[in-house]
Amino acid sequence: MPDDPLAQYRRTSPNPVGRVVPTDMDEYTAFGTKDKVHRLRIRSLTAPVNSPGYNILLNVVYDGEQGTHFMLVYTVLMVLVQGRNLQKLVFAIENGMADYIQQFDPARWQKPADAGATIIDSIEVRAINSGNTETEH
Protein backbone atom coordinates (compact mmCIF):
# COMPACT_ATOMS: atom_id res chain seq x y z
CA MET A 1 0.00 0.00 0.00
CA PRO A 2 1.85 3.13 -1.20
CA ASP A 3 -0.19 5.64 0.80
CA ASP A 4 0.00 4.82 4.50
CA PRO A 5 -2.39 7.02 6.49
CA LEU A 6 -0.64 6.04 9.75
CA ALA A 7 2.93 6.72 8.56
CA GLN A 8 3.19 9.99 10.48
CA TYR A 9 2.51 8.13 13.75
CA ARG A 10 5.06 5.34 13.29
CA ARG A 11 8.36 5.50 15.14
CA THR A 12 10.19 3.14 12.82
CA SER A 13 10.27 2.95 9.06
CA PRO A 14 8.18 0.23 7.39
CA ASN A 15 11.34 -1.48 6.05
CA PRO A 16 11.73 -5.26 6.38
CA VAL A 17 12.89 -6.49 9.78
CA GLY A 18 15.94 -8.34 8.45
CA ARG A 19 17.46 -5.45 6.54
CA VAL A 20 21.17 -4.82 6.96
CA VAL A 21 22.20 -1.44 8.33
CA PRO A 22 25.50 -0.24 6.86
CA THR A 23 28.20 0.18 9.47
CA ASP A 24 30.38 2.56 7.43
CA MET A 25 29.34 6.12 8.07
CA ASP A 26 30.68 9.33 6.61
CA GLU A 27 31.06 10.94 10.02
CA TYR A 28 32.05 9.42 13.34
CA THR A 29 29.34 8.93 15.92
CA ALA A 30 30.34 7.44 19.26
CA PHE A 31 26.92 5.93 19.87
CA GLY A 32 23.45 5.51 18.46
CA THR A 33 20.11 5.37 20.24
CA LYS A 34 16.72 3.75 19.73
CA ASP A 35 13.54 3.59 21.80
CA LYS A 36 13.67 -0.11 22.63
CA VAL A 37 17.03 -1.81 22.68
CA HIS A 38 17.67 -5.35 23.91
CA ARG A 39 21.42 -5.52 23.22
CA LEU A 40 24.31 -3.07 23.18
CA ARG A 41 26.69 -3.58 20.23
CA ILE A 42 30.23 -2.77 21.34
CA ARG A 43 32.68 -1.99 18.51
CA SER A 44 36.33 -1.57 19.45
CA LEU A 45 39.31 -1.39 17.10
CA THR A 46 41.01 -4.56 18.36
CA ALA A 47 38.26 -6.92 19.54
CA PRO A 48 35.41 -8.57 17.69
CA VAL A 49 32.01 -6.92 18.09
CA ASN A 50 30.37 -7.90 21.37
CA SER A 51 26.61 -7.64 21.77
CA PRO A 52 25.60 -8.35 25.38
CA GLY A 53 21.98 -8.03 26.40
CA TYR A 54 20.80 -5.23 28.66
CA ASN A 55 19.19 -7.92 30.83
CA ILE A 56 22.66 -9.02 32.05
CA LEU A 57 23.97 -5.49 32.73
CA LEU A 58 24.58 -5.33 36.49
CA ASN A 59 26.12 -1.90 36.97
CA VAL A 60 27.32 1.24 35.20
CA VAL A 61 30.26 2.87 37.00
CA TYR A 62 31.24 6.33 35.78
CA ASP A 63 33.01 9.53 36.79
CA GLY A 64 29.94 11.76 37.02
CA GLU A 65 30.22 15.15 35.35
CA GLN A 66 33.81 14.53 34.20
CA GLY A 67 32.65 12.41 31.25
CA THR A 68 36.04 10.79 30.64
CA HIS A 69 35.42 7.12 31.41
CA PHE A 70 32.87 4.52 32.49
CA MET A 71 32.70 0.79 33.10
CA LEU A 72 29.89 -1.59 32.20
CA VAL A 73 29.70 -4.60 34.50
CA TYR A 74 27.82 -7.54 32.99
CA THR A 75 27.44 -11.04 34.40
CA VAL A 76 29.93 -12.28 31.76
CA LEU A 77 31.90 -9.18 30.70
CA MET A 78 33.48 -6.00 31.97
CA VAL A 79 33.81 -3.15 29.49
CA LEU A 80 36.00 -0.09 30.20
CA VAL A 81 35.35 2.89 27.94
CA GLN A 82 37.56 5.99 27.90
CA GLY A 83 37.01 9.17 25.96
CA ARG A 84 35.55 12.67 26.13
CA ASN A 85 32.08 14.08 26.72
CA LEU A 86 30.64 10.67 27.61
CA GLN A 87 27.80 12.00 29.81
CA LYS A 88 25.03 11.64 27.17
CA LEU A 89 26.24 8.16 26.29
CA VAL A 90 26.12 7.08 29.95
CA PHE A 91 22.60 8.49 30.23
CA ALA A 92 21.52 6.49 27.13
CA ILE A 93 22.99 3.28 28.57
CA GLU A 94 21.41 3.83 31.99
CA ASN A 95 18.03 4.19 30.30
CA GLY A 96 18.47 1.18 27.98
CA MET A 97 18.45 3.32 24.84
CA ALA A 98 22.01 2.98 23.51
CA ASP A 99 22.00 0.73 20.44
CA TYR A 100 25.76 0.71 19.82
CA ILE A 101 29.01 2.28 20.98
CA GLN A 102 32.09 2.48 18.80
CA GLN A 103 35.68 3.51 19.25
CA PHE A 104 37.04 6.35 17.15
CA ASP A 105 39.26 5.14 14.30
CA PRO A 106 41.40 7.96 12.82
CA ALA A 107 42.07 5.86 9.71
CA ARG A 108 38.34 5.72 8.99
CA TRP A 109 36.93 9.08 10.13
CA GLN A 110 38.01 12.65 10.57
CA LYS A 111 37.95 13.94 14.11
CA PRO A 112 34.61 15.67 14.88
CA ALA A 113 34.90 19.46 14.65
CA ASP A 114 32.49 20.04 17.55
CA ALA A 115 34.43 20.38 20.82
CA GLY A 116 31.42 19.00 22.71
CA ALA A 117 31.11 15.85 20.58
CA THR A 118 31.25 12.47 22.28
CA ILE A 119 34.45 10.63 21.35
CA ILE A 120 35.44 7.15 22.51
CA ASP A 121 39.24 6.83 22.57
CA SER A 122 39.40 3.23 23.81
CA ILE A 123 37.19 0.27 24.62
CA GLU A 124 38.60 -2.60 26.66
CA VAL A 125 36.50 -5.76 26.93
CA ARG A 126 37.28 -8.46 29.49
CA ALA A 127 35.45 -11.76 29.88
CA ILE A 128 34.55 -12.82 33.42
CA ASN A 129 34.83 -16.43 34.56
CA SER A 130 33.52 -17.35 38.04
CA GLY A 131 33.87 -13.79 39.32
CA ASN A 132 37.48 -13.42 38.15
CA THR A 133 38.65 -11.37 35.22
CA GLU A 134 40.02 -13.89 32.75
CA THR A 135 40.55 -12.88 29.16
CA GLU A 136 41.06 -9.56 27.44
CA HIS A 137 39.70 -8.78 23.97
Side-chain angles (χ1 to χ4, degrees):
M1 173 168 24
D3 293 322
D4 185 1
L6 299 177
Q8 66 183 355
Y9 302 107
R10 297 189 199 284
R11 289 187 180 194
T12 59
S13 64
N15 292 333
V17 175
R19 74 178 173 92
V20 177
V21 177
T23 56
D24 286 333
M25 298 174 220
D26 293 337
E27 294 182 20
Y28 171 72
T29 55
F31 68 103
T33 59
K34 289 184 180 178
D35 286 344
K36 281 189 172 183
V37 180
H38 299 288
R39 296 182 166 276
L40 175 64
R41 289 177 286 155
I42 302 167
R43 301 176 188 146
S44 72
L45 296 182
T46 57
V49 175
N50 285 275
S51 186
Y54 272 103
N55 61 326
I56 62 170
L57 179 61
L58 300 174
N59 196 8
V60 180
V61 182
Y62 57 98
D63 60 352
E65 296 301 314
Q66 311 291 312
T68 60
H69 64 278
F70 65 88
M71 185 183 327
L72 304 174
V73 181
Y74 291 92
T75 57
V76 295
L77 290 175
M78 286 180 32
V79 180
L80 176 62
V81 178
Q82 296 180 353
R84 294 172 292 239
N85 304 314
L86 301 174
Q87 299 91 332
K88 290 180 183 177
L89 171 53
V90 169
F91 178 82
I93 291 171
E94 286 180 321
N95 290 285
M97 295 169 46
D99 180 41
Y100 68 87
I101 61 174
Q102 62 186 354
Q103 185 175 342
F104 177 71
D105 182 356
R108 195 167 155 195
W109 299 292
Q110 287 191 351
K111 194 171 186 177
D114 181 11
T118 301
I119 298 177
I120 296 175
D121 295 322
S122 70
I123 298 176
E124 182 179 334
V125 179
R126 292 184 181 245
I128 298 174
N129 183 16
S130 302
N132 297 322
T133 306
E134 187 179 272
T135 57
E136 183 176 332
H137 298 288

Coordinates of all heavy atoms in Angstrom, one line a residue, residues 42 61 68-72 78-82 101 120 122-126:
I42 N 29.0 -3.4 20.9 CA 30.2 -2.8 21.3 C 31.3 -3.0 20.3 O 31.7 -4.1 20.0 CB 30.7 -3.3 22.7 CG1 29.6 -3.1 23.7 CG2 32.0 -2.7 23.1 CD1 29.8 -3.9 25.0
V61 N 29.4 2.1 36.1 CA 30.3 2.9 37.0 C 30.9 4.0 36.2 O 31.5 3.7 35.1 CB 31.4 2.0 37.6 CG1 32.2 2.8 38.6 CG2 30.8 0.8 38.3
T68 N 34.8 11.3 31.3 CA 36.0 10.8 30.6 C 36.1 9.3 30.6 O 36.9 8.7 29.8 CB 37.3 11.3 31.3 OG1 37.3 10.9 32.7 CG2 37.4 12.8 31.3
H69 N 35.4 8.6 31.4 CA 35.4 7.1 31.4 C 34.2 6.5 32.1 O 33.6 7.2 33.0 CB 36.7 6.6 32.0 CG 36.9 6.9 33.4 ND1 37.4 8.1 33.9 CD2 36.7 6.1 34.5 CE1 37.4 8.0 35.2 NE2 37.0 6.9 35.6
F70 N 33.9 5.3 31.8 CA 32.9 4.5 32.5 C 33.1 3.0 32.3 O 33.9 2.6 31.4 CB 31.4 4.9 32.1 CG 31.1 4.6 30.6 CD1 30.6 3.3 30.3 CD2 31.3 5.5 29.6 CE1 30.2 3.0 29.0 CE2 30.9 5.2 28.3 CZ 30.4 4.0 28.0
M71 N 32.5 2.2 33.2 CA 32.7 0.8 33.1 C 31.3 0.2 33.1 O 30.5 0.5 33.9 CB 33.5 0.2 34.3 CG 33.8 -1.2 34.2 SD 34.7 -2.0 35.5 CE 35.7 -0.8 36.1
L72 N 31.1 -0.8 32.2 CA 29.9 -1.6 32.2 C 30.2 -2.9 32.8 O 31.1 -3.6 32.3 CB 29.4 -1.8 30.8 CG 29.2 -0.5 30.0 CD1 28.8 -0.8 28.5 CD2 28.1 0.3 30.6
M78 N 33.2 -7.4 31.5 CA 33.5 -6.0 32.0 C 34.0 -5.2 30.8 O 34.9 -5.7 30.1 CB 34.5 -6.0 33.1 CG 33.9 -6.6 34.4 SD 35.1 -6.6 35.8 CE 36.1 -5.3 35.6
V79 N 33.4 -4.0 30.6 CA 33.8 -3.1 29.5 C 34.2 -1.8 30.0 O 33.4 -1.1 30.7 CB 32.6 -3.0 28.5 CG1 33.0 -2.1 27.3 CG2 32.1 -4.3 28.0
L80 N 35.5 -1.4 29.8 CA 36.0 -0.1 30.2 C 36.1 0.8 29.0 O 36.7 0.4 28.0 CB 37.4 -0.2 30.8 CG 38.1 1.1 31.2 CD1 37.2 1.9 32.3 CD2 39.5 0.9 31.7
V81 N 35.4 1.9 29.0 CA 35.4 2.9 27.9 C 36.0 4.2 28.4 O 35.6 4.7 29.5 CB 33.9 3.1 27.5 CG1 33.8 4.2 26.4 CG2 33.2 1.8 27.1
Q82 N 36.9 4.7 27.6 CA 37.6 6.0 27.9 C 37.4 6.9 26.7 O 37.4 6.5 25.6 CB 39.0 5.8 28.2 CG 39.2 4.9 29.4 CD 40.7 4.7 29.8 OE1 41.6 5.1 29.0 NE2 41.0 4.1 30.9
I101 N 27.9 1.4 20.7 CA 29.0 2.3 21.0 C 30.2 1.9 20.1 O 30.3 0.7 19.8 CB 29.4 2.3 22.5 CG1 29.9 0.9 22.9 CG2 28.3 2.7 23.3 CD1 30.5 0.9 24.4
I120 N 34.9 8.3 21.8 CA 35.4 7.2 22.5 C 36.9 6.9 22.0 O 37.1 6.5 20.9 CB 34.5 5.9 22.3 CG1 33.2 6.2 22.9 CG2 35.2 4.7 23.0 CD1 32.1 5.1 22.7
S122 N 39.1 4.7 23.7 CA 39.4 3.2 23.8 C 38.2 2.5 24.4 O 37.5 3.0 25.2 CB 40.7 3.1 24.7 OG 40.4 3.4 26.0
I123 N 38.2 1.2 24.0 CA 37.2 0.3 24.6 C 38.0 -1.0 24.9 O 38.6 -1.6 24.1 CB 36.0 -0.1 23.6 CG1 35.2 1.2 23.3 CG2 35.1 -1.1 24.2 CD1 34.2 1.0 22.3
E124 N 37.9 -1.4 26.2 CA 38.6 -2.6 26.7 C 37.5 -3.6 27.2 O 36.8 -3.2 28.1 CB 39.6 -2.2 27.8 CG 40.4 -3.4 28.3 CD 41.3 -3.0 29.4 OE1 41.7 -1.8 29.4 OE2 41.7 -3.8 30.2
V125 N 37.5 -4.8 26.6 CA 36.5 -5.8 26.9 C 37.2 -6.9 27.6 O 38.2 -7.4 27.1 CB 35.8 -6.3 25.7 CG1 34.7 -7.3 26.0 CG2 35.1 -5.1 25.0
R126 N 36.7 -7.3 28.8 CA 37.3 -8.5 29.5 C 36.2 -9.4 29.8 O 35.2 -9.0 30.4 CB 38.0 -8.0 30.8 CG 39.2 -7.2 30.5 CD 39.9 -6.9 31.8 NE 41.1 -6.1 31.5 CZ 42.3 -6.5 31.8 NH1 42.5 -7.7 32.3 NH2 43.4 -5.8 31.5

